[in-house]
Amino acid sequence: MNEAVNPTQRIVLGIEYDGSGFSGWQWQAHRPSVQLALEQALSKIANQPVTVQCAGRTDSGVHALEQVVHFDTAVERDLHAWMLGGNSQLPDAVKILWVKPAVADFHARYSAIARFYRYIILNRPAKSALQPKQMTWCNYALDADKMHQAAQSLLGNHDFSSFRAQGCQSKSPWRVMHFIDVYREGDKVIMDISANAFLHHMVRNIAGVLMAIGAGHQPVEWTKQLLAVKNRQLAGVTAPPDGLYLAGVYYPDIYGIENHAIFKKLPADAKRFD
């Protein structure tokens, strides 16, 4: 491999991972993380340390269908070498889907306009034997239509204090919710949700509230009531991480990154979270 000195370049990756065996995205001492696995793999290909930045950190047990990552390097490698070589060094639970050179001032986190998460609930009497950590199991009947109706109260710019973790470190509880769709596919209930950014445990807390409504334990109006009280202690349980996926990140066209088709639902004036 050519080790000639070159100007620093920024490389962008799309990453898929099963988070069930990791303590989350972010590097933690003495615990397995997706970041550590990726940095170790890329460092072997570069033959020097590589540090990566991601579009959005995921918690322990949370998965990604398409996490977006960038890193800077002065080492010259063919783009296929980063992908094929990186995948050869990664564990089976983490894979690089695509590799591109960064355009302009691209930053995986700060250039993002919106994130899209998918939460999958297996709604049947028996747990899954094949995907026990890839779906949240619920053995009592859920009304997906009521869940969808209740979710629409969360659209727009709101103080989501009732839906943030007690230890959330964000300076502001305000976020702009672009869309939430809840629907049934056979024995699965799926929630697709997009915002300019998310608070700690926000998606899982919303899922927990909607599941309580879908089960008939709370009225459809509960989501609207919770927004008004701004009190996490009144908002029920946090849903498990098993069914949660970072499913896509939206970037302006200038960066040349193909966006998930679901982002066609975004409003034309959608802006980055500051």
Side-chain angles (χ1 to χ4, degrees):
M1 291 185 287
N2 185 4
E3 305 250 352
V5 177
N6 294 284
T8 299
Q9 59 178 327
R10 179 159 290 183
I11 305 296
V12 189
L13 312 175
I15 308 296
E16 177 184 79
Y17 53 84
D18 178 340
S20 57
F22 296 96
S23 59
W25 162 266
Q26 190 171 10
W27 187 94
Q28 298 181 47
H30 312 300
R31 300 184 68 182
S33 69
V34 180
Q35 182 181 7
L36 177 61
L38 184 60
E39 288 181 345
Q40 287 179 335
L42 295 174
S43 295
K44 290 181 180 178
I45 305 307
N47 199 30
Q48 62 180 234
V50 169
T51 301
V52 300
Q53 300 281 340
C54 73
R57 293 177 294 180
T58 52
D59 292 333
S60 177
V62 176
H63 319 294
L65 299 177
E66 190 173 31
Q67 170 76 270
V68 179
V69 174
H70 81 254
F71 66 93
D72 296 328
T73 183
V75 176
E76 184 176 350
R77 298 285 186 270
D78 185 273
L79 293 179
H80 290 293
W82 291 117
M83 180 171 173
L84 298 178
N87 280 336
S88 72
Q89 300 296 326
L90 283 166
D92 290 342
V94 184
K95 291 302 169 191
I96 301 170
L97 301 176
W98 51 262
V99 182
K100 296 176 180 290
V103 175
D105 59 348
F106 177 84
H107 189 287
R109 177 181 176 187
Y110 297 119
S111 298
I113 299 296
R115 283 88 174 161
F116 155 46
Y117 281 86
R118 174 165 286 168
Y119 195 82
I120 303 176
I121 304 164
L122 180 63
N123 191 205
R124 70 182 193 187
K127 292 183 179 180
S128 172
L130 301 177
Q131 296 179 302
K133 292 295 184 179
Q134 286 70 46
M135 294 180 287
T136 289
W137 176 56
C138 179
N139 65 342
Y140 47 83
L142 295 175
D143 187 327
D145 292 335
K146 284 186 177 180
M147 294 169 68
H148 178 77
Q149 181 183 350
Q152 305 318 297
S153 297
L154 303 178
L155 298 180
N157 189 18
H158 298 291
D159 178 335
F160 283 93
S161 292
S162 292
F163 299 92
R164 69 189 297 187
Q166 294 284 3
C168 179
Q169 298 179 357
S170 176
K171 295 179 181 179
S172 172
W174 288 84
R175 297 293 188 271
V176 178
M177 189 70 68
H178 296 309
F179 61 79
I180 310 179
D181 295 321
V182 183
Y183 53 96
R184 178 175 288 278
E185 289 186 351
D187 56 11
K188 298 181 182 67
V189 174
I190 301 170
M191 177 180 73
D192 290 340
I193 181 169
S194 179
N196 61 347
F198 289 90
L199 299 160
H200 191 205
H201 285 175
M202 181 172 163
V203 178
R204 291 168 57 193
N205 289 336
I206 289 174
V209 166
L210 294 181
M211 289 172 70
I213 293 171
H217 300 155
Q218 295 289 348
V220 168
E221 297 77 20
W222 195 36
T223 48
K224 189 174 183 179
Q225 295 167 3
L226 291 174
L227 275 177
V229 298
K230 303 179 180 63
N231 187 337
R232 172 62 199 146
Q233 294 181 347
L234 301 179
V237 302
T238 300
D242 303 330
L244 182 56
Y245 297 78
L246 174 58
V249 185
Y250 179 79
Y251 296 98
D253 292 341
I254 187 176
Y255 296 119
I257 295 177
E258 185 175 354
N259 290 308
H260 194 290
I262 202 168
F263 286 121
K264 292 178 181 178
K265 296 182 179 183
L266 288 181
D269 61 349
K271 297 180 180 179
R272 183 177 71 85
F273 174 75
D274 292 315

